[in-house]
């Protein structure tokens, strides 16, 4: 019993020395080192040769698994790129309803966020005042604007209409002032004639 204990201790030292050397030479990583260290404690490897064979077997298995994974990843990448171009998305590939695949609520939320972001930016840049902002905010919530472009066109149209109305009002005011001035002049002239 004493002899077997000594031989076991010697064997353990040899195995651990080999594992340490393999780890330092980067032949095995720290995870494999730990796994093999625990297994060597559990009296799985009879001698150094058995341990080396086990290591080579594990390394070849890992390399094969890595190659297969790389192959699968490449195939997956290729399929993803094809789907971006619209391939493999026909009726036969669909499991859920259109709403399950891309919920209407998500589309609505995205659209609202885009429109509200634009309105906020325009208000901060003083392109629209707070009254127009509120009016357009409520309209966008009421599903008036299909997208950002439509909202921008609406804003430009509204602003140009407001500018035209302002110009016409100023023109009318100018004409009124001119007419009043002419009437005043005429009245003054009439008073002079009468006198």
């Amino acid at each position: 019993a004493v002899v077997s204990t000594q031989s076991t201790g010697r064997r353990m030292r040899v195995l651990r020395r080999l594992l340490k050397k393999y780890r330092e030479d980067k032949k095995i990583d720290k995870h494999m080192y730990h796994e093999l260290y625990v297994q060597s404690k559990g009296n799985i490897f009879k001698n150094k040769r058995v341990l080396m064979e086990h290591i080579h077997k594990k390394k070849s298995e890992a390399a094969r698994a890595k190659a297969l994974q790389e192959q699968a990843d490449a195939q997956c990448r290729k399929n993803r790129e094809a789907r971006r171009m619209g391939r493999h998305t026909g009726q036969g590939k669909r499991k859920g309803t259109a709403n399950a695949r891309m919920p209407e609520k998500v589309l609505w939320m995205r659209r609202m966020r885009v429109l509200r972001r634009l309105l906020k930016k325009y208000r901060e840049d003083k392109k629209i005042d707070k009254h127009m902002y509120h009016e357009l905010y409520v309209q966008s919530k009421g599903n008036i604007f299909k997208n950002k472009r439509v909202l921008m066109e609406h804003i430009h149209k509204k602003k140009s209409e407001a500018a035209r109305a302002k110009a016409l009002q100023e023109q009318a005011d100018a004409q009124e002032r001119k007419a009043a001035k002419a009437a005043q002049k005429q009245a003054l002239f009439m008073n002079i004639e009468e006198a």
Side-chain angles (χ1 to χ4, degrees):
V2 174
V3 174
S4 66
T5 309
Q6 283 177 347
S7 64
T8 304
R10 191 164 41 253
R11 181 167 51 83
M12 288 290 289
R13 279 195 296 278
V14 167
L15 296 178
R16 285 176 186 173
R17 208 176 297 127
L18 179 70
L19 285 173
K20 192 177 179 184
K21 186 175 182 298
Y22 268 37
R23 188 183 64 177
E24 285 168 359
D25 295 347
K26 302 275 192 294
K27 289 183 180 177
I28 57 173
D29 61 356
K30 62 180 182 179
H31 305 293
M32 192 188 278
Y33 169 82
H34 181 70
E35 186 185 329
L36 294 169
Y37 187 90
V38 171
Q39 284 178 350
S40 68
K41 262 178 137 179
N43 211 8
I44 289 177
F45 308 116
K46 193 168 69 175
N47 53 35
K48 193 172 168 181
R49 186 180 53 77
V50 174
L51 175 61
M52 286 169 73
E53 282 173 4
H54 184 78
I55 289 170
H56 292 310
K57 188 181 172 188
K58 273 190 90 69
K59 281 176 77 177
S60 65
E61 280 173 8
R64 200 177 305 117
K66 190 181 178 188
L68 286 169
Q69 187 59 48
E70 281 173 4
Q71 197 176 342
D73 288 348
Q75 193 64 40
C76 184
R77 202 176 307 113
K78 189 178 161 190
N79 283 345
R80 206 179 309 121
E81 283 165 10
R83 279 200 190 89
R84 282 199 193 113
M85 290 191 286
R87 316 287 188 271
H88 319 298
T89 53
Q91 287 292 348
K93 288 283 181 183
R94 298 178 198 173
K95 291 284 185 185
T97 61
N99 195 39
R101 286 161 64 81
M102 187 70 250
E104 289 164 12
K105 187 177 179 181
V106 171
L107 294 172
W108 170 263
M109 278 158 54
R110 279 183 193 167
R111 180 150 57 101
M112 283 301 103
R113 283 172 186 166
V114 166
L115 297 178
R116 287 172 182 177
R117 207 177 296 128
L118 179 74
L119 287 173
K120 190 179 174 189
K121 187 174 180 291
Y122 271 31
R123 185 181 60 181
E124 284 168 0
D125 296 345
K126 302 281 191 290
K127 289 183 180 177
I128 56 174
D129 61 350
K130 62 180 182 179
H131 306 292
M132 191 189 274
Y133 168 84
H134 182 69
E135 186 185 330
L136 294 169
Y137 188 97
V138 172
Q139 283 180 347
S140 63
K141 189 181 180 182
N143 202 18
I144 301 287
F145 310 114
K146 188 171 72 172
N147 53 36
K148 190 174 168 179
R149 182 180 53 79
V150 173
L151 175 58
M152 284 167 78
E153 282 172 6
H154 183 82
I155 289 169
H156 294 314
K157 190 179 171 187
K158 241 178 134 54
K159 281 176 77 178
S160 62
E161 280 174 8
R164 190 162 53 249
K166 191 181 178 185
L168 287 169
Q169 186 63 43
E170 282 174 4
Q171 203 176 347
D173 290 346
Q175 280 179 345
E176 274 179 28
R177 279 198 301 275
K178 193 178 177 185
K181 210 172 187 182
Q184 198 177 7
K185 203 173 183 183
Q186 183 72 26
L188 189 65
F189 186 70
M190 293 293 281
N191 287 342
I192 291 167
E193 275 187 1
E194 283 173 8

